[in-house]
Amino acid sequence: MIKHATFVAEHVYTLPPVEVFSAWADPVVKARWAGGPTGWSPRLELDFRVDGLERYHGGPPGGPAHTLQARYLDIVASKRIVYSYDVLLDQVRVLASLATVEFARHGPGTRLVHTEQAAFLTGDDTSPFERHMRAALKSLAAELRDPAPLEEEPDGSAWLETEPGGPAAQAAFMEPGGSAAQAALMEPGGSAAQAALMEPGGRAVQVTVAEERS
């Protein structure tokens, strides 16, 4: 049976909505806070626009390979992002979800509300998914160097876990302070400009930014 569930995770940041929103829209920044655990060597392709696609591929050295494929359905700058996506472990689709991320002014800062309406196609343990949502908001706060206290987040997180007998994919979400991100920035006409953001002691994240369309 397919397990359906709705999850809501919230976090208050001291920074204004425009700065928090930009961390989702900028592919190099997003790769740092949403790239996954150390050692996964993830690749992120991001075309941040309505009908644009995002594709993430990574995983632990021994597998399984994690692939996330998303389509952006609605974007209002500094206000909301709506997208649908699915997740595959190796070649098995294990999750499909509709996600909404809302950015509301909260005094001088931002209240971010992340809502997921998910269908779990294998197994019915949804707790790792909820931990992952909260860990991602914690990782985003660290990326933003936000001094606000973190809201109740359990120790560690999981990108995805499967039921016994299936491929296990447990991981602690990476804390800030050591990632390297490569970006291929497509210039008009298709030439690539390479950029590398090096931070101490980190892993490499390959990022592809789609050519802006007029």
Side-chain angles (χ1 to χ4, degrees):
M1 295 288 292
I2 296 175
K3 171 74 172 181
H4 295 89
T6 298
F7 305 93
V8 179
E10 299 187 19
H11 193 96
V12 175
Y13 300 88
T14 60
L15 302 173
V18 63
E19 294 188 45
V20 181
F21 177 88
S22 69
W24 293 73
D26 185 318
V28 175
V29 174
K30 187 172 185 181
R32 289 201 298 262
W33 67 264
T38 303
W40 279 31
S41 301
R43 298 190 304 274
L44 176 69
E45 301 172 13
L46 176 61
D47 183 5
F48 190 76
R49 62 184 178 89
V50 174
D51 288 332
L53 303 178
E54 176 176 339
R55 189 173 190 273
Y56 171 95
H57 183 82
H66 288 56
T67 303
L68 181 149
Q69 303 170 112
R71 178 181 296 275
Y72 289 97
L73 306 175
D74 185 59
I75 298 173
V76 178
S78 302
K79 292 186 179 297
R80 67 176 181 264
I81 304 168
V82 182
Y83 58 98
S84 60
Y85 70 94
D86 60 9
V87 175
L88 286 78
L89 292 183
D90 290 330
Q91 300 300 315
V92 179
R93 182 169 286 102
V94 296
L95 172 72
S97 187
L98 175 67
T100 302
V101 184
E102 299 172 272
F103 307 83
R105 184 165 289 282
H106 186 81
T110 303
R111 176 176 291 278
L112 186 152
V113 181
H114 182 182
T115 304
E116 295 260 0
Q117 296 166 291
F120 296 85
L121 308 179
T122 60
D124 59 3
D125 180 9
T126 63
S127 59
F129 181 82
E130 188 171 10
R131 292 201 304 270
H132 160 64
M133 288 179 64
R134 294 184 181 279
L137 299 188
K138 178 180 177 180
S139 182
L140 174 58
E143 169 64 30
L144 295 171
R145 305 293 195 268
D146 192 334
L150 297 173
E151 300 187 349
E152 304 173 357
E153 320 232 15
D155 291 336
S157 64
W159 178 255
L160 199 62
E161 292 179 74
T162 57
E163 289 296 293
Q170 295 185 346
F173 235 73
M174 178 181 153
E175 290 296 312
S179 64
Q182 284 191 333
L185 305 177
M186 299 305 297
E187 299 173 349
S191 60
Q194 296 261 330
L197 301 182
M198 300 299 298
E199 295 185 4
R203 58 187 169 76
V205 179
Q206 294 183 346
V207 184
T208 300
V209 184
E211 177 182 357
E212 184 177 352
R213 292 169 171 79
S214 58

